[in-house]
Amino acid sequence: MVLGRIFSGLARTRERFASGLGRLLGINRQLDEDFLDELEEILYTADLGSTGTEIVDELKEAYRKKEISESAAVLPFLRSQLLDRLHGCEGTLAQAQSGPTVILVVGVNGSGKTTSIAKLAARLHKAGHKVILGAGDTFRAAAVEQLSLWADRLGIPIIKQDTGADPAAVAYDAVSAAVSRNVDYLILDTAGRLHTQKNLMAELAKVVRVLRKQIPDAPHETLQVLDATTGQNAIRQAKEFSQTAGVTGMILAKMDGTAKGGAVFGIRRELPLPVKFIGVGEGIEDMEPFAAEDFVDAILSFDGESAGKR
Amino acid sequence: MFDSLAGALNSAYTALVGKKVLTEQNIDDGIRAVRQALLEADVNFKVAKGFIKDVKERALGQDVIKAVDPGDQFVKVVHDCLSELLGGEKTGLPHADKGPLILMTAGLQGSGKTTSCAKLALLLRKTKKKNPLLVAADLQRPAAVEQLQTLGKQLGIPVHAEGVSGRAPEICKRGIAYAIKNQHDLVILDTAGRLHIDEPLMRELEEVHKKCKPHGVLLVCDAMLGQDAVNSALEFHKRLPIHGVILSKADGDARGGAALSVKAVTGRPILYVGTGEKPDDLEEFDPPRMAGRILGMGDVVTLVEKAQEVIDEKQAEKDAKKMLRGRFNFEDFIKQLNMIRKLGSMKKVLGMLPGMGQMLKDVDLDDDRFKRVEAMIHSMTVQERRNPDVIHVQRRRRIASGSGNDLQAVHDLIKQFKMMQKMMSKLGKGGLGGMMGGGMPDLGELGGMPGMPGMPGMPKTGKKGRLPGPGAQGGLDELGGFMRRRKR
């Protein structure tokens, strides 16, 4: 079951986060400074950043207005606060009006782009779509080989050139191939780059321009892969990549560890970007559409059993 | 990295201007700003809490030194605490009593292990004259073995690889045997990235460690990690004794607070920092120096060391003399340009100078200008290069079209070059001492033409461990004074 897998992937996230929260909310405690301090710490530890302070302030305000008087009411309060902040954060893959849908995948080094592409390709392929891959990471040693191995395993064609080739040229070839072979989806990989590298970001902008030469409304989807272990720097990453490549959604990778992925909240404060998928394991099928309620519940629930059965 | 901590300290400092002593009240704002900056820098919540407590106690507990004003004192306390948090004194790699030095990497997926392995091998070959062997033991990620092999080939470093069919512990073992047989005195084992809660893979890592008995395990940590960094680091440390940390991807704008936390919770120091995409972008980590850099004191020592590495001292001295006699021509200029480029990007180089980090925050220094300048000079004839005076308008036009620039760019280059020549010969009469001062031009000028003048003198002064001019004053004792100067 879909939900079950998200939860198994998120189980440890929940345990870590919730153990503190459970301890805090389980016993009936006074909502005093100590309590608020502890709550702030728990929220910060989930990488919520200043959103954590914000929520604690809201809680203080609600307490002052006597809307909340006991710790038992805190959990539903947190849930609605977190959910509010993820409003509009779910989203499905865009689709081209006609012809191939071009999906460009971007992100910093080591965020999990290539693996996410393989998972996404597998998903679309399994749903009966015709998929083609473009090996646009021509910088990192053996990146082309890495994606080619995935393509072979999945039985999906791949357009590639040698390492060191111009990524824009690969993009051009890939779009040509996608059009002439009449595929449903082209997923184009790009080299990982730090968002502060001006020249590499300019290179990315060029890839987008080249895509538009053949298909004016391409890329139909630009997905930024974000490592769930990333801290507050995630916000800057999202801003820079959005500005350069017009990011339309995020893939939150590596949610199967103990990281909470709370940086998403910081990004949402600044940008209206939806999270389209989350990566929940090493297997090729370990990727699920993002569901805000599940995400928040998985973060907040400290009884794994009951959450799983929801 | 760390811009906002420097900013927070600046505001704390400003708040203390004119105050006579440090009190609980007047440092409160500063303390709060520092705490917020630490949290925004992804320093672990608990670590930040402890740090703040420490700063407060020390700041208030200190006897007031009459001559020092409270602002300086506060900044110095933060600097000291930060230095300690970053790792206290400098620590190095372990030693091998006999046989090759065996190092092993570990870390999460995508942390940068493979790249760091290659960079480290290159660095130790260069600085410690090691003869390294890399062992490809990442059998999990597709094409990871090929990646290491490709890097090895590029750098001329042998790689022991057996494809992906075997088991990592055995491959590592055979790699070490191979190294001993072939007189390698350094072996670096590249292991697969893994989640710290992946039991089978963590067991495999333990097995590699047991079988190969590396002298040191290096944990590779992404500088962009968030709060969870301490969980994974603690778990790795529980399974294998971590010798030190390699902080990767530190050239972005992440503040790397998580790495400081890793140091704080495991007690293991950060040994190396990855500072760019190129294979030689790996530096030794030096805690007090880094603390200085964080506080905006610059990092002149690193700059001098780098300069020594890439600049040919004799040549530089010859050039310096020539410059001072006003006989500097475009041929010398391009030679120097190339030397400076070997130091790294202009922004990186300038960022190491005291106070520049803050100033450069939003400045976009375009390294492509180097290339433009280079192209123009390459479009000159030998005669023109040796004797710039002959370059009249006709020639300038030819140079412009030959190098793909417009005429104005050529005009500017020659104008600036002549100004520099003049300045140099003036300086020549005034002696070498003023050179560094003159060598730190204002930023506007830098964009147009890189600040050349100071460079030739650098290796020479670096040898003595001091730089003439403003750079020499970056010592700790001068910290307060420096902050003040910068504030004006």
Side-chain angles (χ1 to χ4, degrees), chain A residues 104-113 189-195 201 204 223-226 237 241 247:
Chain A
L104 180 68
V105 180
V106 301
V108 299
N109 316 59
S111 53
K113 282 176 298 304
D189 194 7
T190 59
R193 66 201 75 218
L194 290 184
H195 51 290
M201 292 306 271
L204 195 58
L223 299 177
Q224 186 197 334
V225 180
L226 178 72
Q237 290 176 24
F241 277 106
V247 174

Side-chain angles (χ1 to χ4, degrees), chain B residues 233-372:
Chain B
L234 278 175
E235 190 60 33
F236 274 106
H237 193 43
K238 212 168 87 189
R239 296 302 193 92
L240 322 154
I242 301 291
H243 177 79
V245 175
I246 298 179
L247 184 62
S248 64
K249 306 177 215 172
D251 50 326
D253 54 3
R255 309 232 169 79
L260 309 191
S261 311
V262 167
K263 157 71 182 66
V265 298
T266 64
R268 302 312 305 160
I270 303 168
L271 294 178
Y272 296 97
V273 190
T275 55
E277 301 240 351
K278 289 195 292 302
D280 57 355
D281 289 331
L282 185 78
E283 288 170 12
E284 271 186 40
F285 182 79
D286 181 316
R289 202 189 285 178
M290 188 59 149
R293 190 138 113 191
I294 293 168
L295 299 183
M297 287 167 60
D299 189 6
V300 177
V301 190
T302 303
L303 185 61
V304 172
E305 278 177 5
K306 275 208 119 159
Q308 275 175 320
E309 242 173 66
V310 302
I311 292 176
D312 173 357
E313 194 167 336
K314 273 191 193 133
Q315 183 62 44
E317 225 165 298
K318 234 167 77 191
D319 287 348
K321 280 188 190 138
K322 208 168 169 188
M323 265 169 101
L324 294 174
R325 284 201 303 269
R327 290 226 201 103
F328 189 66
N329 63 32
F330 275 118
E331 274 184 347
D332 308 313
F333 182 67
I334 197 121
K335 253 188 269 161
Q336 294 210 345
L337 203 61
N338 286 330
M339 278 196 224
I340 293 188
R341 282 176 67 175
K342 278 192 223 153
L343 284 173
S345 81
M346 211 53 212
K347 190 158 184 171
K348 212 159 90 186
V349 172
L350 290 172
M352 292 179 196
L353 294 171
M356 287 287 197
Q358 277 286 329
M359 276 204 280
L360 289 177
K361 217 169 56 187
D362 304 311
V363 179
D364 186 16
L365 279 172
D366 189 1
D367 280 301
D368 278 351
R369 298 228 193 175
F370 274 118
K371 284 189 203 145
R372 289 191 169 278

Side-chain angles (χ1 to χ4, degrees), chain B residues 453-467:
Chain B
M455 287 307 173
M458 286 195 68
K460 208 177 152 203
T461 48
K463 219 171 166 185
K464 289 185 227 146
R466 275 179 84 85
L467 279 170

Side-chain angles (χ1 to χ4, degrees), chain B residues 8-26:
Chain B
L9 274 173
N10 257 338
S11 67
Y13 181 86
T14 317
L16 290 168
V17 168
K19 298 281 189 310
K20 291 230 161 54
V21 286
L22 295 178
T23 66
E24 187 124 21
Q25 285 77 32
N26 66 22

Side-chain angles (χ1 to χ4, degrees), chain B residues 434-456:
Chain B
M435 282 190 61
M436 271 314 283
M440 286 199 211
D442 68 86
L443 283 174
E445 201 178 315
L446 261 171
M449 196 159 87
M452 301 294 308
M455 287 307 173

Side-chain angles (χ1 to χ4, degrees), chain A residues 12 16 40-41 44-45 47 108-110 139-142 145-146 149-150 194-198 200 229-233 236-237 254 256-260 282, chain B residues 35-36 39-40 42 45-46 49 108-110 141-143 146-147 150-151 195-198 201 222 224-228 231 249 251-255 277 364:
Chain A
R12 281 172 297 252
R16 289 285 172 132
E40 192 184 15
E41 173 173 348
Y44 258 103
T45 310
D47 284 322
V108 299
N109 316 59
F139 179 76
R140 208 200 67 208
E145 286 82 346
Q146 187 182 347
L149 278 168
W150 279 119
L194 290 184
H195 51 290
T196 49
Q197 303 275 8
K198 292 268 161 80
L200 294 181
T229 60
T230 313
Q232 298 309 301
N233 192 243
R236 297 196 195 198
Q237 290 176 24
K254 309 186 202 174
D256 47 335
T258 51
K260 290 93 185 168
E282 309 226 10
Chain B
R35 175 182 180 270
Q36 200 55 39
L39 289 177
E40 265 163 39
D42 293 316
F45 198 90
K46 282 205 174 72
K49 220 168 164 178
L108 298 169
Q109 290 103 332
R141 183 164 58 88
E146 284 90 331
Q147 186 186 349
T150 310
L151 287 170
L195 280 172
H196 52 292
I197 47 171
D198 187 327
L201 281 179
D222 188 324
M224 294 174 284
L225 276 178
Q227 297 280 328
D228 195 51
N231 293 335
K249 306 177 215 172
D251 50 326
D253 54 3
R255 309 232 169 79
E277 301 240 351
D364 186 16

